[in-house]
Amino acid sequence: MLKLPAFKHFQFGDGSTATVFQDDAMFWKFYVIPGFPSVRLINKNGSTSGNPGEEEFEDDESGDPVFMLIKYLLSDESREENPELPRGGGYMVFDSELRVKNRHLKTIKEDLEKYISGEYNRLKNLPNRERTLTANAIRNDVIGEHWKQTGHEGTPRASSQTGFTSSLTIPSSNAPETPLPTEAPPVIFAEPLWKEGKVTMNAPEAPGLVNGKIGERPASMLGNFVASFSLDLTTDGATFMEKTLVGESGVGATDLSPIQIVYQLVMLAKLPPATLYIHYNTQEVYHAVQELFHEHHNCSDDYFTSESMVSTAIEAGLITVKIDMGGVTDDEIQQMMMQQAMSFIQQTLAERLADKEQAPLEEWATEDVAESSQEVYRLKRVTEVDMTDFTMTLDFHPTVEYKIAPQGTLATFFRDRTDMDKFVRVVDLEDRFFKTLDLKARAFAQWQEDEIAFVELEVKYDQGGDLKTKTFTFTPTETEPQEWDPSLVEGKREYEYRWRVGFEGREAGDWSRWQKETTRNLNVSVETPGKLNVEVTGAGLDFKDIFNAVLVHLRYEDSANDVPLAGQSVLLTADRGSGNWNRNLFAPFEKPIEYRVEYLLTNGTVVETPWQKTDGPTQNILIAPPDDIDVLNLNILPAGKWGGVIQAIASFIYDDGDYSQDQQFRFTKPDEFKQWNVLLRKPDFRKFQYKVLATFENGDTQETDWFVRESDQAVPIQIKGPPRLDVTLSCPTHDFAGVPLVKVDLDYDDPEGTSETDSFTFQKLSDVHKWSLPIREAGPRSYRYRVTYYPLEGDPVARAWQVTEEETLIIHRYEVPKVGAEFKPMFQNFTLTPAVEVTLKYSDPQRGIHESETLIFTDKTAQSWFEVVPDSAIKTYDMIVTWYYEDGSQQSSTPVTLDKPVVLLPKPPAQQS
């Protein structure tokens, strides 16, 4: 079996690598694994690449890679049939394998033959000494003083001491496990014992390049581990791959591809021989385990896992475990050997002290609950355990599952190849053999509205002297698309068509002229043939106060086009503000429409207009009120303060002595709007009067006297209402990130009236609050307020009470209290004093705050120093400026106390001589 670690690594001049492992029993047997995968090659003789036998090392690099990129363009027919299809795409397939090149394998073989020859001679010359080992084992039963008592016959019992003697012939420690052949053996290359594996492809995955891929395969576990992969590419993806592999001249551009292959394989391997030493006092381990896992409340059997028993005993120092790694330094292999040793100790100790059983049911379990499938260990009784000390020195060759992951970027060996068309194919899927006309004909018409009986469509296809014709007929009940699919002649699609329309009760019309077309979808749209469609709409007609109805009479005639006179009347009312007249003319609509109007007024009279004509043909006629009627037009809208108003009733009266009209309007919101139009019998008399009655939520009412007004106008419904103080509060510029909560306390006090307090909180910029309270008619309108800020850090900050009469109260942004300034060295001469030092100190003994900072200026860049302090803390700081002159001397200013937020550093003093 293959043994670890690797025997030797090979690096070849072309960049290839290989790792050689040796067999654990036959020193002339080896396992060669390549360092990275490669594309599978087909040799010139037609065979695929593979590792040769002992005498076969011919050149295996001149074959073709198993690689194909197909870039295809979909046919126009397919894309017209299915518009969702792309322009084309690509499909790429290739094989990867794990293989050592034959010439490299030859080099490896030659190197190993030298090693085998030397190793064979070394082993052959070793003395074949044998040793005989005699072992005496004596065991004392330590259960108690029972053995010292006399037996039933009164004679002494048998001795508690028992034992045995055994002899073993041991070969020399240097002797090989397999007998040496009579002569130096040849190199044998073998396959590892593979357990499992998979192969993964990493390729571009951008949605614009790849539609799908087969990116993972199970490892074949045979031969060179050939794995096949494929990529379904988009149009851009196919071009991307093509331009990556093929140069502009059509010659191979690179030996690499944008594809990485990773083999993940698991094989059985022998770890290097190791020596395991184990020693423990059975009694101590037994009683320790019993004490640890025994449940004293019910004295039931003790259950545990072997892992918990061994780990507990080792941590307590009851078991001595030592492993001689035999010179192995690889951390991963050492960890594997330690795991094997611990597994052996667990098994040995568990078999000595416990019996394996199924885990017992939980206390809450019933017979309906199935037993747990978990296996646990039950501690044996004292009388069942061999209490002798246990000591063992064991040489072991553990077998493990060893994982390897050869990987690399796939090489295709295309560089400078001129036969790239074997590997990269560009395919146009247009094929004349499958091309047909594939014509779908449709007729679009307003069948019912235009009274169309049928549409007849005639198509002819004439190519190469072969004339084919087809007639399609569409009716109001047969409007679905109709198909015609003759084969194309020489791939040409051009055909000709014409059509005509038949109307109900009339003869079929003339054929249209022949037209040429190539499209697969032939759509014929039938226009409305000379149809009159006019809409009559009332404009500014007051059907509430002025008109009961308006009757519009219409007529149309065109003798030049054989259109006889015909007419229709349209009635306009409050419920029907417009009406239509539709008439099929079967001729061009070219003449104006004649109409006259009858106005039925609310006072019982009728006003008629004479026949008149529109300005040419039109589809809309607007009917306006007649000019010879007089109307008083009033627009009524609320005004004043509407806070607390339930409703307001405005009563209007018009009376000319012989004719009178009255109306009432109800308002509940200040944004309502009403209109009153009064039809006058005496045009010169335009006076009217009105009054307002309003009710309020507090139970008050307000009723005005009659107001007299004259002529058309806007009438304000003025509501005074009971006196109130209305205040709007907002916080539009506050920084809620640093101060998430702001509270505003409000207080109103009228010594002769009522007093009221309230509080509002703000947590975001959009918060707006309203404060409204009733006050005396002559009461004060001033109030006071206090703002409290709640910063994220520190105590709440409450501002002093302030008095105001503002009805819009803006809460100012909270400024974090801080001390310090921005220091500007604009007056410094850094040629004279290359460095200027500013020493700053802040002290607030009452709060135990002491801060200091030093700023160094070497150019005229301003610097800032600020310290956040409590709101009521001292806001002054001390400053000392030190100038460092070019000759190494220095001078400092007198300390000054400042509270400025911006400081201009003073000029340097004259240098002392």
Side-chain angles (χ1 to χ4, degrees), residues 356-399:
K356 184 183 292 187
E357 298 180 355
Q358 293 293 115
L361 293 176
E362 300 288 345
E363 295 180 0
W364 48 264
T366 64
E367 294 180 357
D368 296 333
V369 181
E371 286 191 4
S372 169
S373 61
Q374 179 185 5
E375 290 186 339
V376 297
Y377 290 87
R378 178 186 61 80
L379 192 65
K380 293 180 179 179
R381 306 291 183 184
V382 173
T383 56
E384 299 174 336
V385 180
D386 180 1
M387 291 295 180
T388 58
D389 290 354
F390 183 88
T391 302
M392 175 178 285
T393 301
L394 176 67
D395 293 333
F396 69 104
H397 299 252
T399 301

Side-chain angles (χ1 to χ4, degrees), residues 261-309:
I261 301 296
V262 181
Y263 280 78
Q264 299 178 18
L265 305 174
V266 180
M267 61 184 178
L268 291 180
K270 283 279 191 180
L271 292 175
T275 301
L276 174 64
Y277 172 80
I278 310 170
H279 173 78
Y280 58 84
N281 184 299
T282 307
Q283 289 189 58
E284 293 180 356
V285 175
Y286 177 84
H287 290 299
V289 173
Q290 184 184 46
E291 182 66 24
L292 180 63
F293 295 101
H294 184 67
E295 299 180 1
H296 294 279
H297 66 278
N298 58 13
C299 293
S300 62
D301 291 333
D302 304 316
Y303 293 93
F304 53 87
T305 63
S306 63
E307 294 86 351
S308 63
M309 177 174 65

Side-chain angles (χ1 to χ4, degrees), residues 329-341:
T329 59
D330 186 272
D331 292 339
E332 184 177 357
I333 297 179
Q334 286 186 356
Q335 185 177 3
M336 292 181 184
M337 296 173 69
M338 179 63 75
Q339 291 174 351
Q340 290 279 342

Side-chain angles (χ1 to χ4, degrees), residues 678-694:
V678 182
L679 184 62
L680 304 181
R681 291 185 177 180
K682 296 179 179 180
D684 295 334
F685 189 87
R686 307 184 67 83
K687 288 183 179 181
F688 65 93
Q689 54 184 331
Y690 74 97
K691 70 174 181 177
V692 179
L693 173 63

Side-chain angles (χ1 to χ4, degrees), residues 1-3 21-24 29-33 190-197 221-222 225 265-270 399-404:
M1 181 182 295
L2 179 150
K3 69 175 181 180
F21 295 86
Q22 193 177 29
D23 191 74
D24 68 319
K29 187 176 182 180
F30 298 92
Y31 308 86
V32 185
I33 299 177
E191 287 287 327
L193 294 176
W194 300 109
K195 288 282 292 181
E196 59 180 305
M221 317 297 286
L222 298 172
F225 286 83
L265 305 174
V266 180
M267 61 184 178
L268 291 180
K270 283 279 191 180
T399 301
V400 297
E401 292 185 354
Y402 190 64
K403 298 179 180 179
I404 61 174

Side-chain angles (χ1 to χ4, degrees), residues 626-913:
D627 297 332
D628 52 354
I629 62 173
D630 291 302
V631 177
L632 174 66
N633 297 311
L634 301 180
N635 295 316
I636 308 164
L637 64 159
K641 294 185 177 181
W642 279 66
V645 175
I646 297 177
Q647 65 177 348
I649 305 297
S651 302
F652 285 79
I653 295 177
Y654 172 84
D655 190 351
D656 64 1
D658 298 323
Y659 170 74
S660 65
Q661 291 286 321
D662 63 82
Q663 185 70 280
Q664 286 187 335
F665 300 97
R666 180 174 178 267
F667 297 89
T668 59
K669 296 181 295 184
D671 56 352
E672 290 182 283
F673 173 80
K674 308 292 184 180
Q675 193 173 38
W676 188 37
N677 297 315
V678 182
L679 184 62
L680 304 181
R681 291 185 177 180
K682 296 179 179 180
D684 295 334
F685 189 87
R686 307 184 67 83
K687 288 183 179 181
F688 65 93
Q689 54 184 331
Y690 74 97
K691 70 174 181 177
V692 179
L693 173 63
T695 60
F696 300 89
E697 294 175 351
N698 63 356
D700 291 349
T701 60
Q702 172 189 324
E703 185 173 7
T704 67
D705 295 330
W706 285 98
F707 299 100
V708 179
R709 298 286 187 269
E710 185 174 2
S711 187
D712 300 347
Q713 60 185 278
V715 182
I717 305 301
Q718 188 74 36
I719 301 296
K720 184 177 181 182
R724 299 186 66 84
L725 176 62
D726 294 311
V727 180
T728 301
L729 299 91
S730 62
C731 210
T733 61
H734 184 70
D735 178 16
F736 285 98
V739 183
L741 179 66
V742 179
K743 186 179 77 168
V744 180
D745 298 313
L746 299 166
D747 179 32
Y748 176 81
D749 185 20
D750 182 359
E752 301 180 15
T754 61
S755 298
E756 187 168 337
T757 61
D758 207 342
S759 295
F760 298 97
T761 59
F762 298 84
Q763 293 180 289
K764 54 183 182 296
L765 293 176
S766 59
D767 286 347
V768 176
H769 298 291
K770 303 283 188 181
W771 187 42
S772 179
L773 62 153
I775 60 176
R776 287 188 303 111
E777 182 69 35
R781 301 193 64 82
S782 63
Y783 61 94
R784 65 175 188 156
Y785 70 94
R786 180 180 63 186
V787 181
T788 304
Y789 300 96
Y790 294 83
L792 281 175
E793 299 180 0
D795 297 329
V797 179
R799 301 300 189 198
W801 286 96
Q802 298 185 52
V803 177
T804 183
E805 293 186 359
E806 294 290 338
E807 294 186 355
T808 300
L809 183 60
I810 305 296
I811 309 303
H812 297 294
R813 175 191 181 98
Y814 174 70
E815 296 294 339
V816 177
K818 57 186 178 181
V819 63
E822 181 184 14
F823 299 89
K824 298 183 177 182
M826 55 192 306
F827 297 133
Q828 303 305 308
N829 183 353
F830 288 102
T831 303
L832 176 64
T833 56
V836 179
E837 180 183 84
V838 179
T839 303
L840 303 162
K841 292 184 179 180
Y842 173 78
S843 181
D844 187 350
Q846 182 179 355
R847 294 176 174 78
I849 302 176
H850 302 279
E851 302 288 345
S852 63
E853 182 65 64
T854 299
L855 305 179
I856 304 296
F857 294 86
T858 58
D859 56 32
K860 295 193 176 184
T861 302
Q863 299 184 42
S864 298
W865 169 72
F866 289 98
E867 295 289 342
V868 177
V869 297
D871 194 64
S872 58
I874 298 173
K875 300 298 191 301
T876 60
Y877 57 92
D878 297 328
M879 181 184 75
I880 299 176
V881 182
T882 302
W883 291 271
Y884 292 88
Y885 292 87
E886 188 178 16
D887 60 0
S889 62
Q890 64 183 57
Q891 291 191 50
S892 297
S893 67
T894 303
V896 295
T897 300
L898 304 171
D899 60 358
K900 299 178 180 179
V902 178
V903 175
L904 301 179
L905 298 182
K907 294 181 179 180
Q911 188 175 7
Q912 297 177 356
S913 58

